[in-house]
Amino acid sequence: MMPDAALRALDAEVEEALASGEESALSILGVGEISVVLGWPQGAPRVAAKRLPLFPGRAAFDAYAEVLGRYLAALRSAGLSVIETELRAVVHDDGRIAGYCLQPALPAESLLHRRLRAVAPSSGLPLVREVVEAAQRAVGERVGLDAQVANWAVDDGRLLYLDVTTPLLSREDGSSELDPNLFLAALPWLLRAPVRRFVLPGLRRRYHQVRSVLLDVCANLIKERLEAWLPAFLEAANERLASPLGADEVRRDYARDARTWATMLSLRRADRWWQRTVRRRPYRFLLPRGITR
Ligand SMILES: Nc1ncnc2c1ncn2[C@@H]1O[C@H](COP(=O)(O)OP(=O)(O)OP(=O)(O)O)[C@@H](O)[C@H]1O
Ligand SMILES: [Mg+2]
């Protein structure tokens, strides 16, 4: 999808931006709660490059590769269309590995949240029903899904799933197949233990039950300023749920979730300031900017 030399050059640009704190030269296609998606080549991007947290070495990278492969296979065998995703490595001088998930860069207008913003809300829209059906097919104790509208694109009228960089696979005992320490490394160290203990189990539960996945999708509509679509999503969800979702429950959930992520992001920003200004060390992660809640 992208020559090695070009990927190494992109990685060098990311490292440079991290070292200087000057991120404005990077071509940014999208931001999630965790990661930033870069476009390559600049100007007319064909590839979306999702940088993963740095891996301490080859073994950790290979373990991630294996879990990612199984996650893609699990979603596809549940009948979801998942965007073509290629995992690549850039080995740094100190032996650490920058991992990138490469995907075809899709036009912004094809992303589901953008598509919904462009048309008047209507119940019974096939795409809305498709989100609900996809969640119902894929989600279970072993396989999780983050079905929020920004994680889908519309390709030829069908939904294509994009958000695979955090593979949500659980073992029989409920523990995560993905080493949570990799992603916890993006947090200030003081926070890692409490997040591992109190936040991760909740996130894991949220993405492994159809009802809570759909509750999350609905709550996220508010964050995306798509609240006008809430009745259509509630209707589609409640056709399938034994215990229906209500608008009040969705609003309460949104408020709680927004607080969690906002606190987490402001602590990460504070940590970045501390590392750069006081410790005079480069901060290793690109932080999402300008998320409105
Ligand atoms: N292939 C793509 N082409 C264009 N834009 C994309 C593509 N993939 C993702 N995006 C945009 O970037 C945003 C963030 O991507 P993604 O959902 O993969 O990251 P994330 O939510 O941070 O993921 P994770 O939860 O795994 O860290 C998406 O919501 C979407 O708007
Ligand atoms: Mg996402």
Side-chain angles (χ1 to χ4, degrees):
M1 222 181 285
M2 183 174 172
D4 253 326
L7 183 60
R8 279 199 303 273
L10 180 73
D11 183 62
E13 277 171 39
V14 172
E15 288 296 318
E16 169 68 34
L18 291 173
S20 65
E22 183 45 63
E23 294 167 13
S24 57
L26 298 174
S27 149
I28 291 176
L29 285 186
V31 291
E33 295 288 4
I34 311 277
S35 49
V36 172
V37 183
L38 302 162
W40 178 86
Q42 284 238 0
R46 290 192 308 277
V47 175
K50 304 184 176 181
R51 181 171 153 125
L52 305 168
L54 278 176
F55 295 94
R58 185 51 76 170
F61 179 83
D62 290 345
Y64 173 85
E66 195 265 328
V67 177
L68 174 67
R70 276 194 289 121
Y71 188 53
L72 295 172
L75 295 182
R76 289 184 176 128
S77 74
L80 272 63
S81 302
V82 182
I83 194 168
E84 182 191 348
T85 301
E86 185 187 326
L87 176 66
R88 297 270 291 272
V90 177
V91 182
H92 287 185
D93 292 340
D94 63 3
R96 292 200 288 180
I97 296 181
Y100 286 85
C101 279
L102 303 184
Q103 299 177 339
L106 302 170
E109 320 79 72
S110 71
L111 300 171
L112 181 59
H113 60 302
R114 298 280 298 258
R115 195 57 73 90
L116 293 178
R117 214 166 275 150
V119 298
S122 62
S123 63
L125 186 81
L127 288 171
V128 172
R129 191 160 286 142
E130 242 192 278
V131 172
V132 174
E133 284 167 3
Q136 205 169 31
R137 281 201 310 270
V139 172
E141 283 185 1
R142 306 298 288 272
V143 180
L145 186 75
D146 177 352
Q148 298 182 352
V149 287
N151 290 337
W152 303 92
V154 186
D155 180 38
D156 241 354
R158 295 291 315 280
L159 285 183
L160 190 60
Y161 189 68
L162 306 177
D163 192 346
V164 296
T165 47
T166 311
L168 299 169
L169 286 181
S170 288
R171 301 194 185 87
E172 212 161 346
D173 66 1
S175 65
S176 165
E177 297 235 24
L178 187 71
D179 177 3
N181 293 320
L182 271 181
F183 286 81
L184 287 170
L187 295 175
W189 67 268
L190 254 179
L191 266 186
R192 288 178 203 160
V195 168
R196 182 184 296 115
R197 172 107 167 66
F198 299 111
V199 182
L200 287 188
L203 281 181
R204 211 170 293 139
R205 272 196 303 279
R206 190 175 182 89
Y207 294 123
H208 281 275
Q209 282 161 15
V210 180
R211 189 177 191 280
S212 53
V213 167
L214 295 176
L215 173 61
D216 180 67
V217 170
C218 289
N220 175 257
L221 291 171
I222 304 176
K223 176 177 152 196
E224 294 285 354
R225 289 171 289 119
L226 287 166
E227 199 171 343
W229 279 93
L230 186 54
F233 275 83
L234 284 175
E235 189 187 310
N238 288 340
E239 274 169 22
R240 316 239 158 194
L241 292 173
S243 138
L245 295 168
D248 286 346
E249 182 184 6
V250 169
R251 289 200 186 88
R252 276 197 306 276
D253 184 80
Y254 164 72
R256 197 169 45 226
D257 193 54
R259 270 198 310 275
T260 308
W261 289 109
T263 309
M264 209 106 93
L265 185 57
S266 51
L267 287 167
R268 293 171 74 196
R269 288 197 177 121
D271 183 48
R272 177 171 64 179
W273 173 85
W274 169 258
Q275 301 289 348
R276 279 183 183 162
T277 316
V278 183
R279 308 288 307 272
R280 306 217 162 265
R281 292 199 307 210
Y283 185 73
R284 309 291 317 174
F285 301 94
L286 294 172
L287 295 185
R289 275 169 300 181
I291 294 187
T292 50
R293 293 176 211 271

